[in-house]
Amino acid sequence: MKIRLDNVVKTFDTFRAVRGVSLEVASGELVALLGPSGSGKTTILRMIAGLEYADGGAIYFDAEDATAISVRDRGVGFVFQHYALFPHMTVAENIAFGMKVSKVKRSKTAIATRVSELLQLVQLEGLADRFPTQISGGQRQRVALARALAVDPKVLLLDEPFGALDAAVRRDLRLWLREIQEQLGITTLFVTHDQEEALDLADRVVILNDGVIVQEGSPQDVTRRPNSAFVTRFLGDTNRLFGRVAGGRAEIDGQAIAAPGLADGAAEIYVRPGDLDWSRSGEGMAATVTRVIDRPDSRRVLARLANGDAVELDVSPETDVARGDAGFLHIRRASVFAAPR
Amino acid sequence: MSASPSGKPSRVGDTPLVRRTLITLVLLVGAVLVLAPLIVIFAQAFSLGVGAFAATIAEPDTRHAIMLTVIVALIAVPVNTAFGLAAAWAVTKFDFPGKRLLIVIIEIPFSISPVVAGVAYLFVYGLQGVFGPALADANIQILFALPGIVLASMFVTAPFVARELIPLMQAQGRDLEEAATSLGASGWRTFWSVTLPNIRWALLYGVVLCNARVMGEFGAVSVVSGNIRGQTNTLPLHIELLYHDYQTAGAFAAASILTVLALVTIVAKVLLERQGAGRRSRVSVAAPVLLAEGQRP
């Protein structure tokens, strides 16, 4: 099932949550809607589900205009942020609910068979008779997914699917969800504010800010070629330095960075901590180390430039560096944007 | 950290002196204010012997008062339960202008003296009231009859069910209903199989409180009923009447009946709650067994 949003608008009271979003999701694609809170990503998801009606624009499922179809008849599987499992029903009853209330009548044995199939799919055989309060957060998440999949939805929508879980469980579930999605080939959209999650999981990432799409593309596209300062900053740690562009090149402390197509004038140069090299001597920006943070796979060096700006860089764990050391920073890669006026 | 002589550090406000004083105080007040009067009622009711007690209850006016009280409760409680559910649903699941006003209106009967409510009904439905002449022309009697008593009781108890449900339904949010609808359930189905099971204990508690108050309501009913013995006297009004007639044993006997009615509702509530709580614990205990059965082909 292909989904197409055509200039969709949603306003709550006076707050314009979504302002003219157009988006296409190909059949079987796994797409992440990524953005800070208040960027309208959940509202878009809820409009696709039919839990919220669009004030303007249209939503198409394949060729069919789904804008006015009620959530009940839209045939979407929705997984809620806090799972919304029915607390008075067992795991099996939760999963069976959609089939029981469906307009398509199924026999009791057919429902029971499907429930045990789904329990197997989400690897929860044996928990059928537990209540939601008696299982862990990760297990609840999987029950919620099984419940949504039980009615054979054409589209799977997940709202912050891993938001309430701890880091280790989150990573496992991510890989697992990717596997299930590939196995079923179901068109899937999920909302997240966690860039790592979006990049890990999605075929395509749609980045939103203030109710509009600011960039969309494969994880590789958006990480390697961010189209704005916002995207650059949102996708991960970055240092902002100030320089000048002249003739398509940005200059900062004697280092030149290609800035094709940029008009001459003040510029912001964004450099990721991993894209800065540290050396005791040589060329580059002079800096003094203020602190070193040790991490399992690297050392994060906090340093101060001659002009007082703080920068952060990652060096290999073997690098010998300590607080108070003076040295030079070399920019290996950077993104340059015109400074906002 | 400083340790007390017993070795365990005491938590804030948890010294033995504070604890013992508080518990004693609460038990004492509970006994003097609540338990003792109840015991007195039953002691006095049977003071002239079981025979006298039975005679008082068998007296036609008393029997009529009991019947009337039960009938009023049978009408007012279901109507107010439906109203409370509807109001709580509207307030917690929808956004509409005047929502805050609705909440305030629901609370009004809590803060207004029941006598005021009675007098207000008098002004609305009485002969000199707004609808009085029209009602008299149509030969419909509201005041000094069952409809007036039911209306006044409903006014006084209107907030009980809604007040129990609103905070709970607010805390639960709309997720469960949205989940049910997205799975294809109709509104009606969602209400019966998702909403109601999750609010049933609060609903039950509201109904019990509402029922107790309907049966015990004095002020408002006293104004609109006209205190006609054997016709419009509810049990609380009848008790007062007997008392003023110096029929002390009779008054206490009637009072004991009213108390029993209240106790029956509370016991019913406790029993129902036990049954509900039992389902979950039973299932969790029985889970391994069910599991083993389920694994057989």
Side-chain angles (χ1 to χ4, degrees):
Chain A
M1 169 83 51
K2 196 176 93 180
I3 307 171
R4 187 160 66 84
L5 274 68
D6 184 17
N7 203 22
V8 169
V9 174
K10 178 75 189 180
T11 308
F12 294 110
D13 291 330
T14 57
F15 174 63
R16 289 176 65 201
V18 177
R19 12 179 140 193
V21 164
S22 297
L23 176 69
E24 276 203 37
V25 181
S27 190
E29 203 180 7
L30 177 51
V31 170
L33 297 177
L34 173 67
S37 61
S39 60
K41 55 192 190 306
T42 296
T43 309
I44 293 173
L45 197 76
R46 288 172 60 85
M47 284 193 288
I48 296 172
L51 291 168
E52 220 68 82
Y53 285 106
D55 296 334
I59 296 165
Y60 297 92
F61 283 10
D62 281 337
E64 186 189 13
D65 184 351
T67 319
I69 298 178
S70 80
V71 53
R72 201 185 156 200
D73 300 316
R74 218 175 265 204
V76 298
F78 199 99
V79 177
F80 290 80
Q81 187 175 1
H82 301 290
Y83 322 129
L85 295 179
F86 306 128
H88 59 292
M89 295 184 196
T90 63
V91 166
E93 285 166 348
N94 264 285
I95 296 173
F97 184 83
M99 293 184 276
K100 277 186 194 154
V101 302
S102 165
K103 285 171 186 165
V104 186
K105 291 281 162 261
R106 292 171 174 84
S107 70
K108 272 200 171 150
T109 43
I111 292 178
T113 313
R114 182 89 177 109
V115 167
S116 62
E117 268 173 35
L118 284 159
L119 281 171
Q120 205 174 351
L121 178 75
V122 299
Q123 299 157 10
L124 290 176
E125 304 104 318
L127 295 185
D129 299 305
R130 298 282 188 90
F131 282 91
T133 46
Q134 298 167 330
I135 59 178
S136 73
Q139 289 168 336
R140 279 179 216 167
Q141 175 62 273
R142 287 187 273 164
V143 174
L145 184 69
R147 184 179 69 175
L149 291 173
V151 283
D152 298 315
K154 298 171 278 186
V155 174
L156 182 61
L157 306 171
L158 304 102
D159 186 7
E160 298 274 2
F162 313 111
L165 301 169
D166 49 43
V169 180
R170 203 184 284 204
R171 277 199 60 84
D172 287 350
L173 272 184
R174 240 186 252 165
L175 297 172
W176 170 84
L177 178 67
R178 179 78 227 193
E179 269 171 38
I180 289 211
Q181 196 267 342
E182 275 173 11
Q183 194 182 331
L184 301 175
I186 184 171
T187 311
T188 305
L189 255 106
F190 74 98
V191 155
T192 181
H193 64 269
D194 180 346
Q195 77 288 350
E196 194 189 318
E197 198 166 287
L199 298 172
D200 247 33
L201 194 51
D203 296 322
R204 196 148 57 90
V205 180
V206 176
I207 302 167
L208 290 142
N209 190 30
D210 279 339
V212 292
I213 295 177
V214 287
Q215 188 173 6
E216 57 177 292
S218 68
Q220 193 180 9
D221 284 343
V222 295
T223 44
R224 296 298 161 248
R225 286 179 293 282
N227 67 0
S228 61
F230 170 79
V231 172
T232 310
R233 275 194 291 199
F234 191 68
L235 286 180
D237 289 353
T238 187
N239 297 296
R240 182 170 62 171
L241 307 169
F242 298 95
R244 290 203 73 78
V245 173
R249 293 174 74 77
E251 276 275 324
I252 180 163
D253 278 1
Q255 297 184 67
I257 300 140
L262 230 61
D264 292 1
E268 286 181 347
I269 300 160
Y270 288 91
V271 190
R272 302 230 178 261
D275 294 339
L276 277 172
D277 286 332
W278 165 260
S279 56
R280 295 270 177 196
S281 56
E283 55 185 33
M285 301 174 286
T288 313
V289 175
T290 54
R291 201 178 154 206
V292 179
I293 300 165
D294 280 296
R295 293 181 172 169
D297 49 1
S298 68
R299 307 188 84 189
R300 167 70 53 104
V301 178
L302 278 52
R304 200 166 285 285
L305 299 177
N307 66 2
D309 284 354
V311 290
E312 297 187 12
L313 62 146
D314 287 337
V315 296
S316 70
E318 294 77 25
T319 311
D320 178 27
V321 61
R323 182 177 174 165
D325 287 359
F328 298 91
L329 302 178
H330 174 71
I331 298 172
R332 211 176 328 115
R333 195 186 297 121
S335 308
V336 186
F337 303 102
R341 259 156 291 168
Chain B
M1 213 188 281
S2 68
S4 68
S6 66
K8 279 188 202 162
S10 69
R11 287 173 295 168
V12 180
D14 197 27
T15 56
L17 183 71
V18 172
R19 198 168 57 228
R20 275 176 215 147
T21 315
L22 260 180
I23 293 173
T24 315
L25 204 70
V26 170
L27 284 180
L28 209 67
V29 170
V32 170
L33 286 185
V34 181
L35 206 56
L38 278 184
I39 294 168
V40 169
I41 285 177
F42 284 97
Q44 287 288 331
F46 291 99
S47 62
L48 298 180
V50 179
F53 179 82
T56 319
I57 302 304
E59 207 248 326
D61 287 351
T62 307
R63 273 213 325 257
H64 186 272
I66 296 171
M67 281 304 296
L68 186 62
T69 298
V70 170
I71 288 169
V72 169
L74 283 178
I75 301 171
V77 173
V79 172
N80 264 344
T81 304
F83 167 75
L85 261 172
W89 187 279
V91 165
T92 55
K93 309 280 176 189
F94 307 131
D95 293 311
F96 54 93
K99 189 162 141 174
R100 278 162 184 273
L101 187 70
L102 180 64
I103 297 177
V104 173
I105 288 174
I106 293 172
E107 300 254 309
I108 283 178
F110 263 151
S111 49
I112 283 188
S113 164
V115 178
V116 176
V119 173
Y121 273 96
L122 216 55
F123 282 129
V124 175
Y125 298 108
L127 267 181
Q128 277 77 44
V130 185
F131 301 129
L135 288 168
D137 289 347
N139 229 350
I140 298 170
Q141 188 165 19
I142 300 248
L143 288 180
F144 313 124
L146 183 66
I149 300 172
V150 171
L151 282 174
S153 304
M154 274 167 44
F155 177 95
V156 173
T157 57
F160 282 83
V161 173
R163 269 292 297 262
E164 287 304 317
L165 293 182
I166 288 173
L168 179 70
M169 288 171 78
Q170 245 158 9
Q172 284 180 348
R174 305 175 195 186
D175 275 12
L176 292 181
E177 280 83 11
E178 283 182 350
T181 318
S182 79
L183 290 168
S186 63
W188 192 241
R189 183 71 190 246
T190 302
F191 175 75
W192 282 107
S193 47
V194 174
T195 309
L196 201 58
N198 285 302
I199 57 168
R200 60 191 165 193
W201 302 122
L203 181 67
L204 191 65
Y205 191 60
V207 168
V208 167
L209 284 182
C210 180
N211 181 61
R213 187 62 199 267
V214 166
M215 287 187 166
E217 178 50 31
F218 182 86
V221 173
S222 144
V223 176
V224 297
S225 80
N227 278 14
I228 307 166
R229 196 186 287 231
Q231 280 183 33
T232 64
N233 249 4
T234 59
L235 205 41
L237 300 182
H238 191 64
I239 293 167
E240 200 217 15
L241 203 82
L242 288 173
Y243 184 74
H244 285 310
D245 282 354
Y246 300 105
Q247 300 181 31
T248 314
F252 278 113
S256 70
I257 295 294
L258 192 54
T259 310
V260 166
L261 284 177
L263 290 178
V264 165
T265 12
I266 289 192
V267 168
K269 172 190 167 257
V270 170
L271 285 180
L272 278 168
E273 266 179 2
R274 282 242 179 101
Q275 215 166 20
R279 181 168 128 89
R280 264 189 206 189
S281 52
R282 261 207 310 281
V283 168
S284 66
V285 170
V289 182
L290 288 172
L291 215 144
E293 280 168 6
Q295 278 165 346
R296 271 178 225 140

